[in-house]
Amino acid sequence: MALVPALLLGALSVLVMLPAAQHLRALRNGERTQATLQTGGSCMMGRCRVGFEAAGRTVVADLPVGSGGGKDSVGTRLTVRYRADDPRVAAREDDVDGDGAAVLAVASGAGALLLLVLSVLAAIALGRQRRAGSPTGRAPQDAHP
């Protein structure tokens, strides 16, 4: 039963959070500007938006998965870094080290490993219980006529 959550946590770690950490780190040397949080919520899940001026135009950018600042209210001013060739790719300056996403990747990976170990231990215990329940002390065999 714990195998499915273990696989899901492992997939979250490898397929979502590690790439998110790399994406955030790629913006370290991006253009720096002041932005306003336009949509709040679960920024760690990529559901926040910021607005700022870039190259003389107003840009609204989604903050990437792994962003912090979910406790900030709409209208909060913050510093962002964005890609010069595509200002819609932006991240909070506090997040461009990728540490938040990396910590979540490690935590979900560790959770996956723990659930995987528990699944193996449960399978071993179940196998021993079945053997202990048979009269010969061995696993029951199918009768052949």
Side-chain angles (χ1 to χ4, degrees):
M1 209 42 150
L3 188 58
V4 172
L7 293 174
L8 290 174
L9 279 174
L12 172 70
S13 179
V14 173
L15 300 175
V16 177
M17 297 317 296
L18 284 178
Q22 291 171 341
H23 173 71
L24 287 167
R25 288 184 182 127
L27 291 169
R28 279 184 189 157
N29 297 324
E31 301 292 324
R32 185 176 191 247
T33 191
Q34 290 293 312
T36 303
L37 186 63
Q38 300 205 346
T39 305
S42 179
C43 294
M44 184 60 76
M45 301 309 285
R47 295 190 178 156
C48 291
R49 299 179 114 187
V50 292
F52 57 92
E53 294 289 323
R57 64 176 218 221
T58 301
V59 176
V60 176
D62 294 324
L63 292 179
V65 171
S67 297
K71 294 179 183 174
D72 294 336
S73 59
V74 172
T76 300
R77 298 285 295 165
L78 45 109
T79 304
V80 296
R81 295 223 176 234
Y82 65 92
R83 219 186 269 165
D85 60 337
D86 186 3
R88 292 172 297 159
V89 178
R92 287 179 352 127
E93 187 172 49
D94 294 342
D95 297 331
V96 295
D97 58 5
D99 289 346
V103 166
L104 193 55
V106 169
S108 62
L113 187 59
L114 176 67
L115 288 174
L116 187 61
V117 168
L118 288 175
S119 294
V120 169
L121 291 176
I124 291 170
L126 185 61
R128 286 182 180 171
Q129 184 181 18
R130 284 186 182 160
R131 271 190 240 134
S134 73
T136 62
R138 296 186 346 212
Q141 301 291 324
D142 289 339
H144 296 285

